[in-house]
Amino acid sequence: MTQELNRKLSIAPMMDHTDRHFRYFLRLISEHVLLYTEMATTGAILHGDREQHLGYSEREHPLALQLGGSDPVELAQCAVIAEDMGYDEINLNVGCPSKRVQNGRFGACLMAEPGLVAECVAAMSGRVQIPVTIKTRTGIDNRDSYAELTTFIDTVCSTGCHTFIVHARKAWLNGLSPKENRTVPPLQYETVYQLKKDYPDLEIIINGGFTGREQILAQFPYVDGVMIGRVAYQDPYLLAGMDQALFGSTNPVPTRQEILQEFKTYAARHVRRGTYLSHMTRHILGLFQGRPGARAFRRVLSDNAHKPGVGTDLIEKAAACVRSG
């Protein structure tokens, strides 16, 4: 059995954001925050380029794989592959509302089929030793009563699933885009707090709408952990000091310049392997958010990283804008 993960703070799975380069970058800021991959579908893993979808650096641990799918057999096969590759957790996506995901019969639409979700979790848990967790919403469409949510929780936790990450908004499967579903349905923090009161033996992680350090820290009297999403992309240095505040670390907080130097070394290694610099530097544009020179830092990287033959010295050039600003 793997060591119990500390989920006090985690970074949400975000398509086109939480790839291996961004995860490595975040690990330079925080040693302990739990990182999640982008959602990978069972079909992509079983029939696609496995290294492309699942490859990662050992430094990224603790690291969880989020799976998209609804076939228990395929999900179990993918869970075994993920465990063999060293992932620390498997998370089933029961929260994404996009049409593409719905057409594949997974994501948030699975909230309407708690029995199937339970089958999926049981199939995965029966094949692996690492934890299997659920990321879900408070409800879907007009099926958003607290009773319906607890029916879902009761059904799924009967399989032994212990950890539920709850995006504190319901999802509209029709009429709203995935982007609108992240902002339009009202936040329901009290619903998630009530879940923790009613299920004290479950690990309840809250997700949705957190934009600042104090707001994040204020959640801990009510829930077991906080998952943050786009704020970590827009202002990644928000994580600096969280190891000390939440995980008991006594290591010094890295400076932005120290982080940048380490990332430059990482980027140089991948450029030599054929990775485009822009595929990596796009993830670090927010490092100096709110600091003098931040706009110039972003502009230097955005305007030049895609150019043929550009090297990691561009990162030094961008950093100089901040030092001089």
Side-chain angles (χ1 to χ4, degrees):
M1 182 65 71
T2 59
Q3 183 178 358
E4 185 69 21
L5 292 177
N6 189 329
R7 299 183 182 85
K8 283 186 176 180
L9 186 62
S10 56
I11 306 300
M14 293 180 283
M15 296 302 293
D16 197 41
H17 287 68
T18 50
D19 66 11
R20 63 187 303 171
H21 305 305
F22 181 57
R23 298 192 306 260
Y24 190 96
F25 170 58
L26 290 188
R27 188 58 74 214
L28 299 179
I29 305 173
S30 167
E31 296 177 12
H32 300 289
V33 62
L34 176 58
L35 303 178
Y36 283 77
T37 67
E38 301 171 274
M39 181 189 68
T41 65
T42 53
I45 293 172
L46 295 176
H47 308 296
D49 185 333
R50 197 165 291 172
E51 175 61 25
Q52 177 185 343
H53 293 294
L54 299 183
Y56 66 92
S57 163
E58 285 297 316
R59 186 158 184 187
E60 293 173 42
H61 289 293
L63 178 63
L65 170 67
Q66 187 181 67
L67 286 176
S70 59
D71 182 287
V73 174
E74 292 183 350
L75 285 165
Q77 292 172 336
C78 290
V80 170
I81 291 168
E83 183 176 53
D84 288 345
M85 290 187 69
Y87 279 89
D88 300 302
E89 174 189 311
I90 303 295
N91 178 263
L92 181 63
N93 184 327
V94 191
C96 181
S98 80
K99 287 293 185 186
R100 181 180 67 85
V101 166
Q102 290 181 57
N103 291 338
R105 199 189 174 199
F106 57 94
C109 65
L110 285 177
M111 289 199 75
E113 300 185 76
L116 176 58
V117 175
E119 286 182 45
C120 292
V121 172
M124 289 186 284
S125 298
R127 297 285 304 278
V128 299
Q129 295 297 306
I130 57 177
V132 176
T133 67
I134 295 291
K135 187 173 190 293
T136 189
R137 294 275 187 145
T138 57
I140 51 173
D141 297 332
N142 292 318
R143 303 182 62 171
D144 60 347
S145 70
Y146 188 69
E148 287 168 304
L149 177 58
T150 56
T151 295
F152 176 84
I153 298 290
D154 287 336
T155 304
V156 178
C157 76
S158 68
T159 66
C161 182
H162 176 256
T163 302
F164 291 81
I165 304 158
V166 185
H167 187 159
R169 286 187 174 94
K170 74 174 183 178
W172 284 105
L173 301 183
N174 295 293
L176 292 182
S177 69
K179 181 178 180 180
E180 290 170 326
N181 262 297
R182 294 194 296 268
T183 56
V184 174
L187 286 162
Q188 299 173 297
Y189 291 156
E190 292 295 333
T191 298
V192 185
Y193 300 160
Q194 189 63 47
L195 275 182
K196 182 58 190 175
K197 289 179 183 177
D198 292 341
Y199 296 89
D201 294 332
L202 295 181
E203 185 176 33
I204 303 296
I205 312 297
I206 194 167
N207 169 233
F210 300 110
T211 58
R213 177 186 172 94
E214 295 309 315
Q215 186 188 21
I216 292 167
L217 296 177
Q219 301 304 306
F220 288 95
Y222 311 106
V223 291
D224 299 298
V226 178
M227 174 178 277
I228 59 176
R230 276 158 180 76
V231 67
Y233 202 82
Q234 296 157 359
D235 185 12
Y237 202 68
L238 172 77
L239 296 179
M242 286 298 195
D243 286 356
Q244 291 72 18
L246 294 175
F247 300 99
S249 174
T250 57
N251 293 333
V253 177
T255 67
R256 290 176 174 87
Q257 294 292 350
E258 288 169 342
I259 293 162
L260 204 58
Q261 285 302 312
E262 281 204 65
F263 191 77
K264 179 187 174 185
T265 301
Y266 168 85
R269 189 162 62 245
H270 280 269
V271 166
R272 288 194 295 270
R273 296 174 184 171
T275 303
Y276 291 112
L277 182 65
S278 59
H279 290 180
M280 295 175 282
T281 55
R282 70 188 182 96
H283 295 307
I284 68 173
L285 297 179
L287 180 59
F288 293 93
Q289 177 72 20
R291 306 288 295 180
R295 182 176 297 179
F297 173 80
R298 293 193 298 268
R299 185 171 59 249
V300 167
L301 293 177
S302 298
D303 290 352
N304 298 285
H306 65 282
K307 294 179 179 178
V310 69
T312 54
D313 286 348
L314 181 68
I315 297 175
E316 286 286 346
K317 182 178 178 181
C321 296
V322 183
R323 285 196 293 267
S324 63

